[in-house]
Each structure stands twice: as structure tokens, then as C-alpha cells.
Amino acid sequence: MNYIEEVKKIKREKNAIVLAHSYQNVEVDEVADYVGDSLFLSQKAKETDADIIVFAGVYFMAQTAKILNPDKKVILPNSEKAGCDMADMIDLQQLRLFKNKYPDIPVVCYINSTAEVKSECDICCTSSNAVDIVASLNADKVLFVPDQNLGRWVEKQLGNVEVITYNGYCPIHNNFEPSGIKDARLQYPEAIVLAHPECKEVFLDGADYVGSTTGIMNYVKNSSAKQFIIATEQGVVDRLKRDYPSKQFYNIYDKPSICESMKLNTVEDIYAALKTEAPEIKVNEEIAKKAIKCIDRMLEVSK
């Protein structure tokens, strides 16, 4: 069976679309309608007139798509395993304790969080718009959950806002150490280091450019440089190698940095999800009504 052609056929028959995050297996792009970072996919989820959305990503992403499209069917292949370690680091009770410790301060939540957490935050953000989102609050202090590394990077970019961070992090990006940049530069002295802001501050200090998944890809697209050291998940590296064959891309370490949850989906999984219209993502109606305010406010700022 040609799964790629079958997926395309079923999408036409069922008025379905596939949204894929850039950390997915690169072959998923063959059946995806849109591939990108969390902000881009949120915007496409908001705009779609499809009846069915298949999300090739992880749980919080599919939840966001469902919140934005309560009347559409949202499907997440491998939903039982496709979680996010960072999102799991804070639940509703932990959020409330954090807010109680710092009362009357606006709360920004990274999109890497559950619907329940989003329902009690003021505004959502992604790595590509986090600086603009925090700035839009016009506050001297903000609470930032759950990613401490992104929060600290935002604080450094703005300079005039105290960003009080929760102690969550992405295990993939948090593992990058300054010594990795030093060793990589010795091995590839002509290469430019591009890093994701989920990395630790001491690591980001050694990078030439810090940006979201889309930011990194756009930097490569617009750069005349020919060699790049990439400090983020392997899916970005794979797509850059495919899209820019005349340029060289190197991992920060010899071993690729892989998010196992993001690598679960195959084209066959997407075919099965479309065929059976399962597993379907559901979000509690009351939670969704609260959470959508947080997401919509972000999308409004990011227009």
C-alpha cells in the first residue's frame, strides 16, 4: 500500500488536514498540509475550515487545536505516549501555589502546557513570540510557566521586566552545556551556532543566534554562511539538510538530540488515525472556555 497516496485520498474524502510540528519524523512532511512551529500551527488550526484535524505532534498541541476548534474532530496518533515532559512539570495545583506565592502578577504560560494550566493563565506564548507577548502586558513583573530557560531569555531581551519563572524545562534543550559549543567550534571553526531559547542561559551566551524553530530555519535561509551548528531537536536538523543541500549542518553533539515523543508518528500512523478517526482529543468544556481566552489573546498580539 502507498500510504502517502492513501492519506491524501482520505484527506480529500473527509475534508481533513494534517498539521505537523518541525520535530516530527521528516517523512511526515509528505502528507502534512502545514509544517512548522507551535505558533504557526496554532494560527493554521484557528484558520482551517476542515472537519477533521490530525495533529502530528504531542498532546498539548492537539489540545490547543481542539480548544480553538471545539466543533471539529481533532485526532492525535499515539496520544497515550505523545506527551511533553516540560508540560508535565506543572499541573493546576502547582500553578495555583505558584500564583499564590506571587499574587496580583500577570501569568504568561508557554504553549508547552496543558489546557488546565492555560485556563488559569492570562496569556499564552510560543518561543517565537515570547518577547512580544511579555512586552504586551506592560508590566514590571510577570510570572512565566513552565519553562525557566525561555523565561530568563525573555527577561534578558527586554531588560525592563522582571520575569519570575517556574522551575520547568525541556530535558532535550536543558542538557546542552557550554562545553558542547566549545568542542563543536573547535571541530567546525567556520560554522555559525544557532540555538533554541529553551536552552540554559549559560549555553545561549555562547551562541551566535538564538531563536525559535522557525527563527533558526529563517536564519539559515537568509544567511550567506555555508556551515551551521544546530542546538535543538533533530527534526530541525533533518529538514535543514533536506531543504539546503548546498549547506552543511552539524549537531552540537555527535549523538542527535531526539525528543522520543515527537518521533512516534509515522505516515502509517497518520493513515490509521484518519481511517479510524481516532484517538480523538477531548477537552473539558469549562476548561476550554477559560483556556481559549489565553490562546486567543496570544494570537491577537501575534497577528
Side-chain angles (χ1 to χ4, degrees):
M1 179 186 293
N2 186 326
Y3 285 103
I4 292 174
E5 291 305 315
E6 286 298 314
V7 167
K8 292 178 179 178
K9 178 184 175 183
I10 297 174
K11 284 197 298 179
R12 291 192 297 269
E13 292 171 349
K14 295 189 175 186
N15 187 29
I17 64 168
V18 175
L19 304 180
H21 193 273
S22 298
Y23 292 174
Q24 291 288 293
N25 293 301
V26 72
E27 61 268 19
V28 167
D29 293 12
E30 296 294 325
V31 297
D33 295 274
Y34 299 101
V35 181
D37 63 11
S38 295
L39 175 60
F40 176 74
L41 297 178
S42 295
Q43 291 168 329
K44 293 304 176 184
K46 176 78 170 179
E47 296 167 3
T48 186
D49 59 0
D51 296 316
I52 298 173
I53 300 171
V54 178
F55 217 113
V58 292
Y59 193 74
F60 74 81
M61 297 176 182
Q63 273 193 329
T64 301
K66 181 62 179 179
I67 292 166
L68 291 168
N69 297 278
D71 298 326
K72 300 182 188 299
K73 184 172 284 188
V74 177
I75 302 166
L76 178 67
N78 299 298
S79 63
E80 291 185 2
K81 296 180 180 179
C84 171
D85 290 339
M86 182 197 297
D88 291 342
M89 290 179 186
I90 186 167
D91 59 23
L92 197 53
Q93 182 179 3
Q94 291 167 320
L95 172 63
R96 288 170 177 168
L97 289 172
F98 186 58
K99 289 172 65 176
N100 288 340
K101 189 176 178 181
Y102 304 99
D104 303 319
I105 299 176
V107 186
V108 180
C109 70
Y110 195 19
I111 200 163
N112 297 41
S113 57
T114 64
E116 290 77 14
V117 167
K118 289 182 176 74
S119 73
E120 291 203 12
C121 292
D122 295 291
I123 191 167
C124 191
C125 78
T126 70
S127 57
S128 60
N129 65 12
V131 173
D132 291 339
I133 294 296
V134 172
S136 74
L137 296 173
N138 294 314
D140 295 328
K141 296 181 181 181
V142 300
L143 303 184
F144 195 97
V145 300
D147 187 6
Q148 58 184 318
N149 294 328
L150 179 59
R152 287 168 183 159
W153 181 75
V154 168
E155 181 180 61
K156 190 171 183 178
Q157 303 316 297
L158 291 173
N160 61 348
V161 181
E162 181 183 357
V163 179
I164 303 168
T165 61
Y166 189 74
N167 61 355
Y169 56 88
C170 167
I172 300 297
H173 293 98
N174 202 61
N175 279 338
F176 296 152
E177 298 293 343
S179 59
I181 290 181
K182 181 180 178 181
D183 293 342
R185 286 194 189 278
L186 287 172
Q187 193 169 1
Y188 310 109
E190 301 300 318
I192 295 173
V193 178
L194 311 181
H196 195 283
E198 288 180 12
C199 300
K200 290 180 286 195
E201 183 177 359
V202 291
F203 182 88
L204 296 177
D205 286 344
D208 298 302
Y209 170 79
V210 178
S212 66
T213 298
T214 297
I216 289 172
M217 290 181 164
N218 284 338
Y219 188 98
V220 171
K221 177 182 178 180
N222 298 320
S223 176
S224 61
K226 296 297 183 182
Q227 297 183 46
F228 302 89
I229 297 164
I230 308 298
T232 190
E233 210 275 341
Q234 183 64 27
V236 175
V237 180
D238 293 339
R239 284 166 177 79
L240 288 172
K241 287 181 176 179
R242 177 198 65 194
D243 295 343
Y244 304 98
S246 65
K247 299 184 178 185
Q248 298 295 315
F249 301 95
Y250 312 108
N251 294 74
I252 196 74
Y253 298 114
D254 292 336
K255 184 179 178 181
S257 299
I258 293 175
C259 174
E260 297 294 343
S261 293
M262 280 287 194
K263 291 294 189 281
L264 289 172
N265 294 319
T266 64
V267 174
E268 291 88 337
D269 291 329
I270 293 170
Y271 166 78
L274 276 168
K275 192 77 173 175
T276 62
E277 298 185 17
E280 185 177 357
I281 297 298
K282 302 282 189 179
V283 179
N284 176 275
E285 188 174 338
E286 291 304 312
I287 292 292
K289 285 180 180 178
K290 294 178 181 178
I292 196 169
K293 296 176 184 178
C294 172
I295 300 166
D296 276 344
R297 190 175 177 187
M298 172 189 74
L299 294 176
E300 186 64 32
V301 172
S302 300
K303 278 185 177 179

